[in-house]
Amino acid sequence: MDKKTGGRDYYPAFLNLKGRLAVVVGGGKVAERKVLGLLDAHAAIRLVCPETTQRLENLARDGLIEWRMRGFLAEDLDGAWLAIAATDDPAAQKAVYDGAETRGIFCNTVDQPDLCSFIVPAVTRRGGLCLAVSTSGNSPALAKRIKEELEASIGQIFGTYTAMLGEIRDWLLSTRQDPVERKILCQSLAENKILTWMKNGEWDKIEDWAVTNYGEGAGEVVRRYRPSTKSL
């Protein structure tokens, strides 16, 4: 533990959970929120609880999640990549954590940082832009407040901005062979003026910039993201 901060030295990371099994133990609103977040990450989800919310029941009925309608057993973690304990039973919480530790599985135990091998940050998403805020478990309420401040300052346009830059970057990586040139060009994509032009609706400038600096292929990307006159 860091004596100066009172927190832990966590290693921040964004996880690729697509197709990986995540086990959520618990059936209340907190478990529902965890399941929905995991679904957004395209994880395969196993829910373990005797009863659950209507929304989670519907997801199970539609085959979007697996629901084991009983209390937790250690075998529920078999094949899992991570686990989340979200029950109101301290013994069950500890059992999930112990089972995960035995199997080398990442585990988050809601409201019990000492029973966590990872914590879930407060998250703001704008398309491909994802901002995660953590206080290392010291104050989730503060992390939430900072997240809300970020949401107020970062508009939805950032989703379009990051998606467009991602396509231009992919095009550069596929058409430029020199690694030094590719690095310089990719770094130049984040120039402040691009976002300013986008906010001001100056798409002609963005297209000219893309074609001049990167080629006609980049210009085609910009034209795909440019709002049509019908939507203005």
Side-chain angles (χ1 to χ4, degrees):
M1 179 174 288
D2 187 333
K3 294 180 180 179
K4 293 182 179 180
T5 66
R8 293 168 174 77
D9 294 324
Y10 289 103
Y11 181 80
F14 289 90
L15 305 179
N16 176 10
L17 297 181
K18 185 175 182 180
R20 300 182 189 274
L21 178 60
V23 176
V24 178
V25 181
K29 287 295 184 181
V30 174
E32 178 183 294
R33 189 169 68 248
K34 300 299 184 181
V35 167
L36 294 177
L38 291 166
L39 281 175
D40 286 341
H42 307 289
I45 299 168
R46 176 181 296 156
L47 178 67
V48 183
C49 57
E51 54 185 10
T52 190
T53 66
Q54 187 62 55
R55 189 168 188 181
L56 291 181
E57 281 191 25
N58 293 341
L59 291 173
R61 181 197 62 208
D62 294 340
L64 298 177
I65 65 174
E66 174 194 357
W67 179 19
R68 296 187 174 181
M69 300 172 60
R70 54 167 171 71
F72 171 75
L73 298 175
E75 64 193 41
D76 293 322
L77 297 175
D78 291 348
W81 204 76
L82 64 79
I84 296 178
T87 80
D88 55 5
D89 180 351
Q93 298 283 83
K94 183 67 162 56
V96 175
Y97 175 75
D98 289 344
E101 284 288 286
T102 298
R103 291 165 172 76
I105 299 168
F106 288 111
C107 182
N108 173 261
T109 306
V110 175
D111 292 333
Q112 291 184 264
D114 289 339
L115 298 181
C116 292
S117 53
F118 78 97
I119 57 176
V120 180
V123 173
T124 293
R125 295 183 186 274
R126 294 290 184 262
L129 177 65
C130 180
L131 303 177
V133 180
S134 171
T135 58
S136 296
N138 289 318
S139 177
L142 176 59
K144 180 180 178 181
R145 182 170 66 80
I146 294 173
K147 181 204 78 163
E148 291 170 347
E149 292 175 357
L150 288 171
E151 286 177 337
S153 63
I154 299 178
Q156 294 294 338
I157 197 171
F158 274 85
T160 300
Y161 178 48
T162 54
M164 185 184 75
L165 295 190
E167 283 201 33
I168 295 176
R169 179 178 181 273
D170 288 344
W171 183 78
L172 286 173
L173 293 177
S174 67
T175 58
R176 299 295 196 277
Q177 300 303 315
D178 184 274
V180 175
E181 180 189 19
R182 288 194 302 186
K183 181 178 180 180
I184 293 173
L185 290 175
C186 288
Q187 288 177 339
S188 70
L189 289 174
E191 294 181 23
N192 289 334
K193 62 185 180 183
I194 313 308
L195 183 59
T196 299
W197 288 338
M198 188 174 289
K199 288 179 177 179
N200 294 336
E202 298 177 289
W203 284 86
D204 286 340
K205 290 184 178 180
I206 299 174
E207 185 176 338
D208 289 343
W209 160 82
V211 172
T212 300
N213 289 278
Y214 311 114
E216 182 57 33
E220 291 178 2
V221 172
V222 173
R223 286 190 285 275
R224 286 200 298 273
Y225 281 91
R226 181 173 186 160
S228 66
T229 55
K230 292 182 181 179
S231 64
L232 297 178

